[in-house]
Amino acid sequence: MGAGEPSSFALEAAQRLGQLVAEAGWIVLTGGLPAGVMAAASGGAKTVRGSLTIGILPTGRNGPVSDQIDVAVFTDLGEARNAVNVLSSDVVVACGVEGPGTASEVALALRAGRPTVLLAPSPAAGAFFQTIGGGTTLHEAPTPEAVIRLIEERLGVPRWRAV
Amino acid sequence: MGAGEPSSFALEAAQRLGQLVAEAGWIVLTGGLPAGVMAAASGGAKTVRGSLTIGILPTGRNGPVSDQIDVAVFTDLGEARNAVNVLSSDVVVACGVEGPGTASEVALALRAGRPTVLLAPSPAAGAFFQTIGGGTTLHEAPTPEAVIRLIEERLGVPRWRAV
Amino acid sequence: MGAGEPSSFALEAAQRLGQLVAEAGWIVLTGGLPAGVMAAASGGAKTVRGSLTIGILPTGRNGPVSDQIDVAVFTDLGEARNAVNVLSSDVVVACGVEGPGTASEVALALRAGRPTVLLAPSPAAGAFFQTIGGGTTLHEAPTPEAVIRLIEERLGVPRWRAV
Amino acid sequence: MGAGEPSSFALEAAQRLGQLVAEAGWIVLTGGLPAGVMAAASGGAKTVRGSLTIGILPTGRNGPVSDQIDVAVFTDLGEARNAVNVLSSDVVVACGVEGPGTASEVALALRAGRPTVLLAPSPAAGAFFQTIGGGTTLHEAPTPEAVIRLIEERLGVPRWRAV
C-alpha cells in the first residue's frame, strides 16, 4: 500500500519490494491504479517470471488500471475498497504513509488484526500508529529487504515456490 | 466518530457534543453501536427535544444497535461502512483518536475532503494527521463548545432551527 | 424501490404510496436520486407534514440528489448500495419491477429475508420471483392502498403516530 | 454464478463449465464459498493444469472458503459483494437461476451492462430477464459447451493460451 504521488524513496522501495515479494513466490496485491506505489510494486513484481499481481480497484470497468496488473477486481466501491485490500492481504506493507488513503489502510489493517509493516515511516506516522495499534500486528522495517526478512522470520510466512 | 472503548474524557465530551449539535438543529450521525462515543453522542442528542440521530451500522439486522438511534442504516459492510459515515457527514468530528477505527475514519474524511475536527487529540494524533492532511479540511478544538463555534464560525454551517 | 424511468402507472403509484406511508407515520427510504420512482415516492411523502425521507445514494457528494430527500446518505458504493437499501428497510415495496436495478433489490431483499411486496408486478416478474422466493417474505398487491393494508394487517407493522 | 444448494443438473453443468473455461485459458471467478455451483465450477477448473480460480467472498477471513480457490478476496461486504463479482467478470454465466442470490447477480450484471449468459434457465427465469434486460447483453445457452462457443464466437472473447 502507498501513495498515488509518493516520494522518490517510496517509489523505489515499492518497486524493489514488489520484485522481492514475487521472487519469494508470493502474490502482490495493490489498489491497482496506474500511479505511484501501486504501479511501482506491481511493476517490480512483473519483472519476475511467473509472478501474479492483483489490483483491487475503486472504480468500475471504465476507470484506469495499471498495465502491470494481471487480475483486476473492479469494485466500484470508492475508498471503501481499502477495507477489502487489507482484509485480503496476508501481510499489509505500507511503503511510506504519505497520504490519507494509505493512512486509512494502515488503520483498517490494525483494526482487522492483519500483520502490518511500515516501511521507513516518517517519525510522526511511526509514533502515531504505535499509540493506536501497538501490539503484535504492527511492525517497522527500514528497507524492502528487511520487510521480506520480517515476513519470513518473525511472521513465519514460508516462501512459496520457485515460480 | 470515536472509540467503542473510549477514555472517560472522550465519553463525556461526546455526550456534551451530541447535545450541543442537536441544540443547533443539526443531525447526529454515528456508527450506531451501543458502545462508547457512538452511544454517548447519540444519547446526548436525545436529551434534546426534536433531535434526530442516525446510525450507520457495520452489521445486518441481527447486530446490536444503540437505543439512542432514531434511524438505523444496516449496511452489513463491516469496516467498509466507515467510508459511508464520513461521506455522509457535513462535518466529521473525532472525539479523541484512540483506536484504529476512528483513525481510519479521520483518514477517510481527509481523503474525501470532508471538513474534519479533532476534539482534544493526543499530541501524536494531532501531529500525524497534520503531516498527511494539513490543509483547509483539518481542524482541532479543545472542547465540545469550541467544536460548535468552529463549525458555525469558521466552517460557516448555519444553525438550523429551533427543533 | 423502482425504476429511474418508470411507466406512468408506476410513477403515480409511487407518489401515492409515498404519501400513504408518510401518513401512517413511517419513514420513506429510497435510492435518493432525482428520478423516477425514487423522486415520486419521496415527493408524495413530503406532501405530508412531519414526514421523513431518507435517500441512500450510489454516489459521493458530487452526485445528484432529489430535493425531496431530507437525509442523504452518500455511499459511493455504486450498485452495491442496493444491498444497504433493502437491509435498512422494514418492508421493501417494489413499484413495478421494470428494470434490472429494481430486480436486484427484490432479489437481495428475498435473499436477506426482508418482507417484500410487489406492487402491480408484470406477470413475468410475479411468476419469476415466486419461483425463487415463494415463501413468507414475498407478497403482491394491486394498489398503493392495498400495500398499506398488507403492511398493517398481514405484516403486523403498527401505524406510528400522527406526525 | 449459481446457487449454494443447486439442482444436480446445475451442479454437473458448473463442474463441466469450470473445466471448459480453464481449458480455454480463462480465469474462473466465483463467490468462493465451499458450496454448490461456486465450489463445483472452481473444482472443475482445478482439474486443468495451470488454471487460476478466484473467489470473492462475502465474509472476512474467519469465514469458510472453498479449497478449490487459488486467490481469496475477503470483502466482508455480505451480499453487496455480488456487485463486485459481476463487475469483475468479463462474462457472467449463471448456472441456473435457482435462488435470490444468483438472481441478484444476473440483475446486477444486466444493470452494469456485462455480457450475461443464462445456462439452461427455467422458463420463468428466462422470460423474466428477457423483459428487463432483453438487449445485447443477455444470452441463453443449453449446455456448458454451448456457453463456451457463445463466448468465443458471439462475444468474441479469444482463447488465451495453452496453460
Side-chain angles (χ1 to χ4, degrees), chain A residues 61 74 87-88 90 114, chain D residues 54 61 74 87-88 90 114:
Chain A
R61 298 181 75 95
F74 294 98
L87 273 179
S88 301
D90 291 313
R114 304 309 309 146
Chain D
I54 298 189
R61 297 180 76 95
F74 294 97
L87 274 179
S88 300
D90 291 311
R114 304 307 310 144

Side-chain angles (χ1 to χ4, degrees), chain A residues 27 29 52 54 56 59-61 70-77 80 83-90 114, chain D residues 27 29 52 54 56 59-61 70-77 80 83-90 114:
Chain A
I27 295 170
L29 182 152
L52 181 61
I54 299 190
I56 311 282
T59 67
R61 298 181 75 95
D70 293 321
V71 177
V73 175
F74 294 98
T75 69
D76 201 21
L77 297 172
V84 177
N85 291 17
V86 302
L87 273 179
S88 301
S89 298
D90 291 313
R114 304 309 309 146
Chain D
I27 295 170
L29 182 153
L52 181 60
I54 298 189
I56 311 282
T59 67
R61 297 180 76 95
D70 292 320
V71 177
V73 175
F74 294 97
T75 70
D76 202 20
L77 297 172
V84 177
N85 291 18
V86 301
L87 274 179
S88 300
S89 298
D90 291 311
R114 304 307 310 144

Side-chain angles (χ1 to χ4, degrees), chain B residues 8-43:
Chain B
S8 61
F9 175 85
L11 204 62
E12 284 177 37
Q15 204 277 345
R16 177 74 177 142
L17 181 66
Q19 181 185 334
L20 294 171
V21 167
E23 286 175 357
W26 301 324
I27 296 170
V28 171
L29 183 153
T30 69
L33 295 173
V37 161
M38 294 174 270
S42 304

Side-chain angles (χ1 to χ4, degrees), chain C residues 105-126:
Chain C
E105 290 176 313
V106 172
L108 289 165
L110 296 174
R111 173 76 173 158
R114 305 307 309 143
T116 304
V117 184
L118 306 182
L119 197 172
S122 69

Side-chain angles (χ1 to χ4, degrees), chain C residues 130 133-139:
Chain C
Q130 287 296 342
T136 57
T137 61
L138 183 62
H139 306 270

